[in-house]
Amino acid sequence: MCYNQNVNVKIDSRGDGWSDLKTAEGRLVNDGKSIKLCYVLDGDECALVVRGGKITQTRRGNQFVDIAFEEGRTTSCTVGCCGFTGSFEVFTEKADCVFGEDGLRLDLDYLSGAEKERIKLTLTAVKNSRGKI
C-alpha cells in the first residue's frame, strides 16, 4: 500500500556514557518500492530510506552525513562540517524496521568507528493529527 503522510519523528540514541533525544516533524512516503522519511533536524535536511534490507541516512546543511546500515555487514559512514570530511566503518548487529499506515519504527544496534562504540538507536515516525498530505 502506498501513502504519503505527515509524521512526528522521535530519535532516541544511546552510546557509551551518553544519550540523545531529538524530535522533529516530517513526511513519510511509501512508493511501493521503498520507504522514505524526510525531516529537518537542527536546521539540516535529513532523509532516511529503507529499501529491502538496506537503510540509508543522509543529512545536508551545517553537517554532512552519509551512512548505510545492513544487518550483519560492515558499511561506511561519511561525515563532514565546515569543508572537512572523514569516514569510518559501522558494523550493524541489528536493524529492525516495522512500518505501516500509522508510521514507522526503526531499531538499530551497531558498532561505530575503530573503537567499536556500541550505539543503540530507536527512531519512530508516527502519523500526526494533520494526517495525509
Side-chain angles (χ1 to χ4, degrees):
M1 173 178 285
C2 298
Y3 48 84
N4 185 343
Q5 60 197 18
N6 291 316
V7 291
N8 294 319
V9 180
K10 182 171 121 178
I11 305 165
D12 182 9
S13 50
R14 300 172 186 277
D16 186 19
W18 62 270
S19 64
D20 190 39
L21 178 64
K22 300 278 188 186
T23 59
E25 290 187 353
R27 189 178 77 247
L28 185 64
V29 177
N30 178 350
D31 65 7
K33 297 177 186 172
S34 65
I35 305 295
K36 184 174 186 177
L37 172 64
C38 298
Y39 58 97
V40 175
L41 190 61
D42 300 327
D44 295 350
E45 293 183 13
C46 302
L48 178 89
V49 177
V50 180
R51 183 183 301 247
K54 187 173 185 176
I55 300 158
T56 57
Q57 172 73 51
T58 59
R59 181 172 177 160
R60 298 292 184 269
N62 289 326
Q63 294 184 21
F64 170 96
V65 177
D66 281 323
I67 189 168
F69 301 97
E70 290 184 71
E71 192 168 293
R73 296 197 58 196
T74 299
T75 55
S76 178
C77 175
T78 302
V79 296
C81 178
C82 309
F84 297 98
T85 61
S87 63
F88 54 90
E89 290 185 343
V90 173
F91 178 76
T92 306
E93 291 188 335
K94 175 181 142 186
D96 288 334
C97 185
V98 178
F99 56 89
E101 285 191 53
D102 292 328
L104 171 142
R105 179 182 172 106
L106 172 66
D107 290 299
L108 291 171
D109 189 350
Y110 62 96
L111 304 176
S112 179
E115 296 82 26
K116 301 204 181 310
E117 177 184 13
R118 178 173 304 283
I119 298 175
K120 294 182 181 253
L121 182 141
T122 298
L123 181 147
T124 56
V126 179
K127 184 167 57 171
N128 68 25
S129 61
R130 290 191 291 270
K132 295 183 179 183
I133 296 173

